Short mmCIF file of all heavy atoms in Angstrom, two decimals:
data_model
loop_
_atom_site.label_atom_id
_atom_site.label_comp_id
_atom_site.label_asym_id
_atom_site.label_seq_id
_atom_site.Cartn_x
_atom_site.Cartn_y
_atom_site.Cartn_z
N VAL M 1 132.98 117.00 259.69
CA VAL M 1 132.25 115.92 260.36
C VAL M 1 130.83 116.40 260.64
O VAL M 1 130.63 117.43 261.29
CB VAL M 1 132.94 115.53 261.68
CG1 VAL M 1 132.16 114.43 262.37
CG2 VAL M 1 134.38 115.08 261.42
N SER M 2 129.86 115.65 260.15
CA SER M 2 128.47 116.01 260.40
C SER M 2 128.01 115.49 261.75
O SER M 2 128.57 114.52 262.28
CB SER M 2 127.57 115.47 259.28
OG SER M 2 127.70 114.07 259.17
N MET M 3 126.98 116.12 262.31
CA MET M 3 126.45 115.73 263.60
C MET M 3 125.40 114.63 263.44
O MET M 3 124.71 114.57 262.42
CB MET M 3 125.83 116.93 264.31
CG MET M 3 126.83 118.05 264.60
SD MET M 3 128.18 117.56 265.73
CE MET M 3 129.57 117.44 264.58
N PRO M 4 125.24 113.75 264.43
CA PRO M 4 124.32 112.62 264.31
C PRO M 4 122.87 113.01 264.05
O PRO M 4 122.13 112.25 263.44
CB PRO M 4 124.46 111.91 265.66
CG PRO M 4 125.83 112.26 266.12
CD PRO M 4 126.05 113.67 265.66
N ASP M 5 122.44 114.18 264.52
CA ASP M 5 121.04 114.56 264.31
C ASP M 5 120.80 115.16 262.93
O ASP M 5 119.66 115.50 262.59
CB ASP M 5 120.57 115.52 265.40
CG ASP M 5 121.36 116.83 265.42
OD1 ASP M 5 122.25 117.02 264.57
OD2 ASP M 5 121.08 117.66 266.30
N GLY M 6 121.85 115.30 262.13
CA GLY M 6 121.70 115.77 260.76
C GLY M 6 121.48 117.26 260.59
O GLY M 6 121.20 117.73 259.49
N THR M 7 121.64 118.04 261.66
CA THR M 7 121.33 119.47 261.58
C THR M 7 122.54 120.34 261.27
O THR M 7 122.38 121.50 260.89
CB THR M 7 120.72 119.95 262.90
OG1 THR M 7 121.68 119.75 263.96
CG2 THR M 7 119.45 119.19 263.23
N SER M 8 123.76 119.81 261.41
CA SER M 8 124.93 120.67 261.28
C SER M 8 126.19 119.84 261.11
O SER M 8 126.15 118.60 261.14
CB SER M 8 125.07 121.57 262.53
OG SER M 8 125.14 120.78 263.69
N ALA M 9 127.31 120.56 260.93
CA ALA M 9 128.61 119.90 260.79
C ALA M 9 129.68 120.82 261.36
O ALA M 9 129.44 122.02 261.62
CB ALA M 9 128.90 119.59 259.33
N ALA M 10 130.87 120.26 261.59
CA ALA M 10 131.99 121.03 262.13
C ALA M 10 133.24 120.71 261.33
O ALA M 10 133.37 119.65 260.73
CB ALA M 10 132.20 120.71 263.60
N PHE M 11 134.18 121.65 261.32
CA PHE M 11 135.46 121.51 260.62
C PHE M 11 136.52 121.16 261.67
O PHE M 11 137.04 122.03 262.36
CB PHE M 11 135.78 122.83 259.91
CG PHE M 11 137.01 122.79 259.03
CD1 PHE M 11 137.76 121.63 258.84
CD2 PHE M 11 137.43 123.94 258.35
CE1 PHE M 11 138.88 121.61 258.03
CE2 PHE M 11 138.55 123.93 257.52
CZ PHE M 11 139.28 122.76 257.37
N TYR M 12 136.80 119.86 261.82
CA TYR M 12 137.80 119.40 262.77
C TYR M 12 139.20 119.68 262.21
O TYR M 12 139.46 119.46 261.03
CB TYR M 12 137.70 117.89 262.99
CG TYR M 12 136.54 117.39 263.82
CD1 TYR M 12 135.43 118.17 264.09
CD2 TYR M 12 136.56 116.10 264.34
CE1 TYR M 12 134.37 117.69 264.84
CE2 TYR M 12 135.51 115.60 265.09
CZ TYR M 12 134.41 116.41 265.34
OH TYR M 12 133.38 115.92 266.08
N ARG M 13 140.10 120.16 263.09
CA ARG M 13 141.49 120.34 262.72
C ARG M 13 142.39 119.79 263.82
O ARG M 13 142.15 120.02 265.00
CB ARG M 13 141.83 121.83 262.52
CG ARG M 13 141.10 122.51 261.38
CD ARG M 13 141.54 123.98 261.33
NE ARG M 13 140.90 124.75 260.28
CZ ARG M 13 139.74 125.38 260.41
NH1 ARG M 13 139.09 125.32 261.57
NH2 ARG M 13 139.22 126.08 259.41
N ARG M 14 143.40 119.08 263.42
CA ARG M 14 144.36 118.55 264.38
C ARG M 14 145.26 119.67 264.88
O ARG M 14 145.83 120.43 264.09
CB ARG M 14 145.19 117.43 263.74
CG ARG M 14 146.12 116.74 264.73
CD ARG M 14 146.68 115.45 264.17
NE ARG M 14 147.62 115.67 263.07
CZ ARG M 14 148.92 115.93 263.24
NH1 ARG M 14 149.43 116.02 264.46
NH2 ARG M 14 149.71 116.09 262.19
N GLN M 15 145.38 119.76 266.20
CA GLN M 15 146.19 120.80 266.84
C GLN M 15 147.22 120.12 267.75
O GLN M 15 146.93 119.81 268.91
CB GLN M 15 145.30 121.75 267.67
CG GLN M 15 144.12 122.33 266.93
CD GLN M 15 144.53 123.39 265.92
OE1 GLN M 15 145.71 123.75 265.83
NE2 GLN M 15 143.57 123.90 265.15
N PRO M 16 148.44 119.86 267.27
CA PRO M 16 149.42 119.10 268.06
C PRO M 16 149.72 119.70 269.43
O PRO M 16 149.82 118.95 270.42
CB PRO M 16 150.66 119.10 267.17
CG PRO M 16 150.11 119.23 265.78
CD PRO M 16 148.94 120.14 265.90
N GLU M 17 149.87 121.01 269.54
CA GLU M 17 150.18 121.61 270.84
C GLU M 17 149.02 121.45 271.81
O GLU M 17 149.21 121.15 272.99
CB GLU M 17 150.54 123.08 270.66
CG GLU M 17 151.88 123.31 269.99
CD GLU M 17 152.27 124.78 269.98
OE1 GLU M 17 151.57 125.58 270.66
OE2 GLU M 17 153.25 125.12 269.29
N GLN M 18 147.82 121.66 271.30
CA GLN M 18 146.64 121.49 272.13
C GLN M 18 146.51 120.03 272.59
O GLN M 18 146.16 119.75 273.74
CB GLN M 18 145.39 121.92 271.34
CG GLN M 18 144.16 122.15 272.20
CD GLN M 18 143.06 122.81 271.40
OE1 GLN M 18 142.92 122.62 270.20
NE2 GLN M 18 142.24 123.61 272.07
N PHE M 19 146.81 119.13 271.68
CA PHE M 19 146.77 117.71 272.01
C PHE M 19 147.70 117.41 273.19
O PHE M 19 147.31 116.74 274.15
CB PHE M 19 147.17 116.88 270.78
CG PHE M 19 147.34 115.41 271.06
CD1 PHE M 19 146.29 114.53 270.85
CD2 PHE M 19 148.55 114.91 271.53
CE1 PHE M 19 146.44 113.17 271.12
CE2 PHE M 19 148.71 113.55 271.80
CZ PHE M 19 147.64 112.68 271.59
N ARG M 20 148.92 117.89 273.11
CA ARG M 20 149.90 117.55 274.14
C ARG M 20 149.52 118.15 275.49
O ARG M 20 149.70 117.52 276.54
CB ARG M 20 151.29 118.02 273.70
CG ARG M 20 151.86 117.17 272.56
CD ARG M 20 153.32 117.46 272.32
NE ARG M 20 153.54 118.74 271.66
CZ ARG M 20 153.56 118.92 270.34
NH1 ARG M 20 153.36 117.89 269.53
NH2 ARG M 20 153.80 120.10 269.81
N ASP M 21 148.98 119.37 275.48
CA ASP M 21 148.55 119.99 276.74
C ASP M 21 147.38 119.22 277.36
O ASP M 21 147.38 118.93 278.57
CB ASP M 21 148.14 121.44 276.49
CG ASP M 21 147.61 122.10 277.75
OD1 ASP M 21 148.39 122.24 278.71
OD2 ASP M 21 146.41 122.46 277.78
N LEU M 22 146.40 118.88 276.55
CA LEU M 22 145.24 118.15 277.06
C LEU M 22 145.62 116.75 277.51
O LEU M 22 145.09 116.24 278.50
CB LEU M 22 144.14 118.08 275.99
CG LEU M 22 143.44 119.41 275.66
CD1 LEU M 22 142.56 119.26 274.43
CD2 LEU M 22 142.61 119.89 276.86
N LEU M 23 146.56 116.13 276.82
CA LEU M 23 147.01 114.80 277.21
C LEU M 23 147.72 114.85 278.57
O LEU M 23 147.50 113.98 279.43
CB LEU M 23 147.93 114.21 276.15
CG LEU M 23 148.49 112.81 276.46
CD1 LEU M 23 147.36 111.79 276.60
CD2 LEU M 23 149.47 112.37 275.37
N ARG M 24 148.56 115.85 278.74
CA ARG M 24 149.26 115.99 280.02
C ARG M 24 148.26 116.14 281.16
O ARG M 24 148.38 115.46 282.20
CB ARG M 24 150.19 117.21 279.97
CG ARG M 24 150.88 117.52 281.30
CD ARG M 24 151.63 118.83 281.24
NE ARG M 24 150.78 119.95 280.86
CZ ARG M 24 149.94 120.57 281.70
NH1 ARG M 24 149.85 120.17 282.97
NH2 ARG M 24 149.20 121.59 281.28
N ARG M 25 147.28 116.98 280.99
CA ARG M 25 146.27 117.19 282.04
C ARG M 25 145.43 115.93 282.27
O ARG M 25 145.04 115.62 283.39
CB ARG M 25 145.38 118.37 281.67
CG ARG M 25 146.12 119.72 281.71
CD ARG M 25 145.30 120.81 281.04
NE ARG M 25 143.97 120.95 281.64
CZ ARG M 25 142.93 121.51 281.02
NH1 ARG M 25 143.06 121.96 279.78
NH2 ARG M 25 141.77 121.59 281.63
N THR M 26 145.17 115.21 281.17
CA THR M 26 144.40 113.97 281.29
C THR M 26 145.15 112.94 282.12
O THR M 26 144.57 112.29 283.00
CB THR M 26 144.10 113.40 279.88
OG1 THR M 26 143.19 114.27 279.21
CG2 THR M 26 143.51 112.01 279.95
N VAL M 27 146.44 112.79 281.87
CA VAL M 27 147.25 111.84 282.64
C VAL M 27 147.26 112.23 284.11
O VAL M 27 147.05 111.39 285.01
CB VAL M 27 148.69 111.77 282.08
CG1 VAL M 27 149.58 110.97 283.02
CG2 VAL M 27 148.69 111.17 280.68
N GLU M 28 147.48 113.51 284.38
CA GLU M 28 147.59 113.97 285.76
C GLU M 28 146.30 113.74 286.55
O GLU M 28 146.33 113.24 287.68
CB GLU M 28 147.97 115.46 285.79
CG GLU M 28 149.39 115.74 285.34
CD GLU M 28 149.67 117.23 285.23
OE1 GLU M 28 148.71 118.03 285.41
OE2 GLU M 28 150.83 117.59 284.96
N ILE M 29 145.17 114.09 285.95
CA ILE M 29 143.92 114.02 286.72
C ILE M 29 143.48 112.58 286.93
O ILE M 29 142.89 112.23 287.96
CB ILE M 29 142.81 114.86 286.06
CG1 ILE M 29 141.76 115.23 287.11
CG2 ILE M 29 142.17 114.14 284.87
CD1 ILE M 29 140.81 116.33 286.67
N HIS M 30 143.79 111.70 285.98
CA HIS M 30 143.40 110.30 286.17
C HIS M 30 144.30 109.59 287.18
O HIS M 30 143.84 108.72 287.93
CB HIS M 30 143.37 109.57 284.82
CG HIS M 30 142.16 109.91 284.00
ND1 HIS M 30 142.09 111.02 283.19
CD2 HIS M 30 140.95 109.29 283.90
CE1 HIS M 30 140.91 111.06 282.62
NE2 HIS M 30 140.19 110.04 283.03
N GLN M 31 145.56 109.98 287.22
CA GLN M 31 146.43 109.45 288.27
C GLN M 31 145.93 109.90 289.64
O GLN M 31 145.88 109.11 290.59
CB GLN M 31 147.86 109.94 288.06
CG GLN M 31 148.58 109.27 286.89
CD GLN M 31 149.96 109.84 286.66
OE1 GLN M 31 150.25 110.99 287.02
NE2 GLN M 31 150.84 109.04 286.06
N ARG M 32 145.52 111.14 289.72
CA ARG M 32 144.99 111.67 290.97
C ARG M 32 143.68 110.97 291.37
O ARG M 32 143.45 110.67 292.54
CB ARG M 32 144.78 113.18 290.84
CG ARG M 32 144.34 113.85 292.12
CD ARG M 32 144.04 115.33 291.90
NE ARG M 32 143.46 115.93 293.08
CZ ARG M 32 142.84 117.11 293.08
NH1 ARG M 32 142.73 117.82 291.95
NH2 ARG M 32 142.31 117.58 294.20
N LEU M 33 142.83 110.73 290.37
CA LEU M 33 141.55 110.05 290.63
C LEU M 33 141.78 108.68 291.25
O LEU M 33 141.13 108.31 292.24
CB LEU M 33 140.77 109.89 289.32
CG LEU M 33 139.61 110.83 289.04
CD1 LEU M 33 139.02 110.52 287.69
CD2 LEU M 33 138.54 110.73 290.13
N HIS M 34 142.68 107.92 290.66
CA HIS M 34 142.96 106.58 291.18
C HIS M 34 143.52 106.66 292.61
O HIS M 34 143.13 105.88 293.49
CB HIS M 34 143.95 105.86 290.27
CG HIS M 34 144.24 104.46 290.70
ND1 HIS M 34 145.28 104.13 291.56
CD2 HIS M 34 143.62 103.29 290.43
CE1 HIS M 34 145.28 102.84 291.78
NE2 HIS M 34 144.29 102.29 291.10
N ARG M 35 144.36 107.62 292.81
CA ARG M 35 145.03 107.76 294.11
C ARG M 35 144.04 108.19 295.20
O ARG M 35 144.10 107.69 296.33
CB ARG M 35 146.16 108.78 293.98
CG ARG M 35 147.05 108.92 295.20
CD ARG M 35 148.27 109.78 294.89
NE ARG M 35 147.93 111.13 294.49
CZ ARG M 35 148.09 111.62 293.25
NH1 ARG M 35 148.60 110.85 292.29
NH2 ARG M 35 147.76 112.87 292.96
N GLU M 36 143.13 109.11 294.85
CA GLU M 36 142.26 109.69 295.87
C GLU M 36 140.86 109.10 295.90
O GLU M 36 139.99 109.59 296.63
CB GLU M 36 142.18 111.21 295.66
CG GLU M 36 143.52 111.92 295.81
CD GLU M 36 143.37 113.43 295.81
OE1 GLU M 36 142.32 113.92 296.27
OE2 GLU M 36 144.30 114.11 295.34
N TRP M 37 140.63 108.05 295.12
CA TRP M 37 139.28 107.48 295.07
C TRP M 37 138.72 107.12 296.45
O TRP M 37 137.58 107.50 296.78
CB TRP M 37 139.27 106.25 294.16
CG TRP M 37 137.88 105.71 293.93
CD1 TRP M 37 137.16 104.91 294.76
CD2 TRP M 37 137.03 105.98 292.81
NE1 TRP M 37 135.93 104.64 294.23
CE2 TRP M 37 135.82 105.28 293.03
CE3 TRP M 37 137.19 106.71 291.62
CZ2 TRP M 37 134.77 105.30 292.11
CZ3 TRP M 37 136.14 106.72 290.71
CH2 TRP M 37 134.95 106.04 290.95
N PRO M 38 139.46 106.39 297.30
CA PRO M 38 138.89 106.03 298.61
C PRO M 38 138.46 107.24 299.43
O PRO M 38 137.40 107.23 300.07
CB PRO M 38 140.03 105.26 299.28
CG PRO M 38 140.82 104.70 298.13
CD PRO M 38 140.78 105.77 297.08
N ARG M 39 139.27 108.30 299.39
CA ARG M 39 138.92 109.51 300.16
C ARG M 39 137.67 110.16 299.59
O ARG M 39 136.75 110.56 300.34
CB ARG M 39 140.08 110.51 300.12
CG ARG M 39 139.77 111.83 300.85
CD ARG M 39 140.81 112.90 300.57
NE ARG M 39 140.84 113.33 299.18
CZ ARG M 39 139.96 114.19 298.65
NH1 ARG M 39 138.96 114.67 299.38
NH2 ARG M 39 140.08 114.57 297.38
N LEU M 40 137.60 110.28 298.25
CA LEU M 40 136.44 110.91 297.62
C LEU M 40 135.17 110.11 297.88
O LEU M 40 134.11 110.68 298.14
CB LEU M 40 136.68 111.04 296.12
CG LEU M 40 137.65 112.14 295.67
CD1 LEU M 40 138.01 111.95 294.20
CD2 LEU M 40 137.05 113.52 295.90
N ALA M 41 135.29 108.77 297.78
CA ALA M 41 134.11 107.93 298.02
C ALA M 41 133.58 108.14 299.43
O ALA M 41 132.36 108.25 299.64
CB ALA M 41 134.47 106.47 297.79
N GLN M 42 134.46 108.21 300.39
CA GLN M 42 134.05 108.44 301.77
C GLN M 42 133.38 109.80 301.92
O GLN M 42 132.36 109.94 302.62
CB GLN M 42 135.27 108.34 302.69
CG GLN M 42 134.93 108.45 304.17
CD GLN M 42 136.15 108.28 305.05
OE1 GLN M 42 137.29 108.35 304.59
NE2 GLN M 42 135.93 108.04 306.34
#
């Protein structure tokens, strides 16, 4: 995949285990965000 500025590119590879770990953390932190939004805003 080339970069938008045209200066470089990267070799993307699908990593199933990494995907699942990052997805788990993504779900957890967004649930927490929704739950704690009023406290954080204050």
Side-chain angles (χ1 to χ4, degrees):
V1 179
S2 57
M3 299 297 107
D5 61 2
T7 61
S8 57
F11 186 2
Y12 286 16
R13 296 180 181 88
R14 186 167 69 85
Q15 308 287 356
E17 289 186 10
Q18 196 170 31
F19 173 94
R20 289 191 286 272
D21 177 64
L22 290 170
L23 179 61
R24 175 187 57 79
R25 292 167 56 202
T26 292
V27 170
E28 289 174 355
I29 203 166
H30 284 85
Q31 287 177 335
R32 184 184 173 196
L33 258 178
H34 183 269
R35 187 171 61 250
E36 297 189 31
W37 187 279
R39 178 191 66 79
L40 285 168
Q42 185 177 15

